Amino acid sequence: MRVNVTVNGEARQADDVWEGESLLYLLRERLGLPGSKNACEQGECGSCTVYLDGTPVCACLVAAGQAEGREVRTVEGLADGERLDPVQQSFVDAGAVQCGFCTPGLVVAAHDLLNRVPNPSDEEIREALAGNLCRCTGYEKILDAVRAAAK
């Protein structure tokens, strides 16, 4: 099947998409956007979080065909050209990036939180990031990054 989707503001098309193919596979392998990571393929880790029509979703759980005619924004699409989004920059500045596998999903989740709650409490930050697993950082630098981006 053919899938037509707008990704990061650009109309994109993929042919010969398999019926069971995930949006994550479509983004990474067909459209060349490797930012969203393929970790658990079960929606448990959050590494593949993207916006679908403005709502954060685990791209591994969304069939590629479900994105037909819809808008997807990936972690790559948060930046403005070479200028990183403030959330992306705060993750770099706070040293909240280690192996980097969880980072794209955490950045998208934090971005979504700050769009909804510009000055979140620590409890709100923890709740918003609860669906994202990190095995390297211990989370404190991630929380520092979100706090910094909120400022």
Side-chain angles (χ1 to χ4, degrees):
M1 94 176 110
R2 173 176 287 163
V3 175
N4 296 289
V5 60
T6 300
V7 181
N8 300 329
E10 181 183 336
R12 303 290 298 266
Q13 180 178 319
D15 290 319
D16 300 321
V17 174
W18 173 60
E19 293 171 358
E21 192 170 302
S22 70
L23 175 58
L24 178 61
Y25 186 89
L26 176 84
L27 293 169
R28 288 180 58 81
E29 305 302 328
R30 293 187 182 275
L31 301 181
L33 295 166
S36 304
K37 301 300 182 212
N38 184 0
C40 74
E41 294 185 338
Q42 297 176 6
E44 295 291 330
C45 72
S47 293
C48 65
T49 304
V50 298
Y51 285 107
L52 181 61
D53 291 338
T55 302
V57 299
C58 289
C60 71
L61 297 180
V62 176
Q66 289 178 288
E68 173 66 32
R70 298 175 78 182
E71 175 138 353
V72 175
R73 189 172 183 198
T74 68
V75 68
E76 292 98 336
L78 298 181
D80 182 13
E82 294 296 314
R83 199 181 100 234
L84 294 177
D85 180 86
V87 176
Q88 293 169 313
Q89 189 63 57
S90 71
F91 268 68
V92 172
D93 295 344
V97 178
Q98 285 190 14
C99 84
F101 231 74
C102 67
T103 307
L106 282 162
V107 167
V108 172
H111 184 269
D112 178 63
L113 168 66
L114 295 176
N115 280 337
R116 293 181 293 107
V117 184
N119 190 21
S121 67
D122 281 0
E123 185 177 325
E124 289 170 314
I125 295 170
R126 289 176 191 276
E127 179 66 28
L129 302 183
N132 298 78
L133 301 178
C134 176
R135 292 190 170 144
C136 300
T137 66
Y139 295 97
E140 196 55 45
K141 289 185 178 187
I142 293 168
L143 296 173
D144 290 344
V146 178
R147 290 181 198 116
K151 293 179 182 176

